[in-house]
């Protein structure tokens, strides 16, 4: 059903690329298909047009949903606040803002657990006299597990996770005793 809608809106866009509602509607199909990057792009495109307020609200809410799923929490919050500036009593925006805060807290907790796990692995390996690998040729990575590639972490992984506004990965390396 959503794949068909996606295909139909894609065809409509190819025939008339200057109709913002097609992008906004394809964005909701993308969200339902877990194609969040495409949904964000379609909302960006829809919002690049002059839109009536209610269409702006729809596109902003959809983009916030996509950004939340992509863990682009700052952008999602900005979109939800823009909705509330247009419609201060928008129930969905208020609920989504609460959900966004919960998602941020869950991600921070997952990150803390990962750091604790890495510390435990480092300690266990050191106690057993095993060499710690790390990523070859990357300074400050000696205490990391073999094959660890920090570029594979989600965007903003270590930002602010250490309670002091954090300096991101530098803080994580310091906590792990490397760097």
């Amino acid at each position: 059903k959503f794949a068909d809608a996606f295909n139909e809106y894609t065809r409509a866009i190819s025939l008339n690329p200057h109709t913002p509602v097609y992008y906004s509607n394809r964005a909701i199909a993308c969200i339902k298909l877990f194609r969040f990057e495409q949904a964000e792009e379609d909302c960006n495109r829809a919002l690049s047009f002059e839109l009536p307020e209610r269409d702006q609200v729809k596109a902003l809410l959809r983009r916030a949903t996509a950004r939340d799923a992509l863990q682009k929490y700052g952008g999602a919050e900005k979109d939800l606040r823009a909705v509330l500036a247009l419609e201060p009593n928008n129930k969905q925006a208020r609920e989504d803002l609460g959900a966004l805060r919960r998602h941020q807290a869950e991600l921070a907790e997952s990150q803390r657990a990962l750091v604790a796990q890495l510390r435990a692995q480092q300690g266990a390996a050191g106690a057993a006299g095993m060499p710690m690998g790390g990523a070859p040729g990357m300074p400050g990575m000696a205490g990391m597990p073999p094959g660890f590639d920090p570029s594979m972490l989600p965007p903003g992984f270590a930002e602010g996770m250490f309670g002091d506004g954090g300096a991101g990965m530098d803080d994580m390396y310091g906590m792990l005793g490397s760097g």
Side-chain angles (χ1 to χ4, degrees), residues 53-54 57 61 82-91 93-94:
E53 187 174 295
R54 75 175 209 281
V57 166
L61 286 169
V83 169
L84 292 171
L86 294 168
E87 295 181 1
N89 297 318
N90 187 295
K91 183 179 176 184
R94 290 185 182 285

Side-chain angles (χ1 to χ4, degrees), residues 69-137:
L70 294 167
Q71 298 179 347
K72 295 181 178 182
Y73 297 129
E77 182 174 349
K78 182 180 173 185
D79 288 342
L80 294 170
R81 293 199 181 282
V83 169
L84 292 171
L86 294 168
E87 295 181 1
N89 297 318
N90 187 295
K91 183 179 176 184
Q92 183 181 348
R94 290 185 182 285
E95 289 173 359
D96 288 356
L97 199 52
L100 177 67
R101 289 187 181 124
R102 285 190 301 279
H103 297 159
Q104 288 174 302
E106 290 165 4
L107 178 62
E109 182 56 36
S110 295
Q111 291 169 346
R112 282 190 287 276
L114 178 60
V115 168
Q117 181 182 8
L118 290 172
R119 279 184 176 167
Q121 288 174 353
Q122 180 185 24
M130 297 169 57
M132 289 298 289

Side-chain angles (χ1 to χ4, degrees), residues 4 6 15-16 18 20 28 30 42 60 69 71 79 81 90 94 97 100 124 134 150 156 170 172 178:
D4 291 339
F6 174 84
L15 297 172
N16 190 353
H18 302 292
I28 196 66
C30 289
D42 281 350
L60 287 165
Q71 298 179 347
D79 288 342
R81 293 199 181 282
N90 187 295
R94 290 185 182 285
L97 199 52
L100 177 67
D170 292 337
M172 186 168 84
S178 59

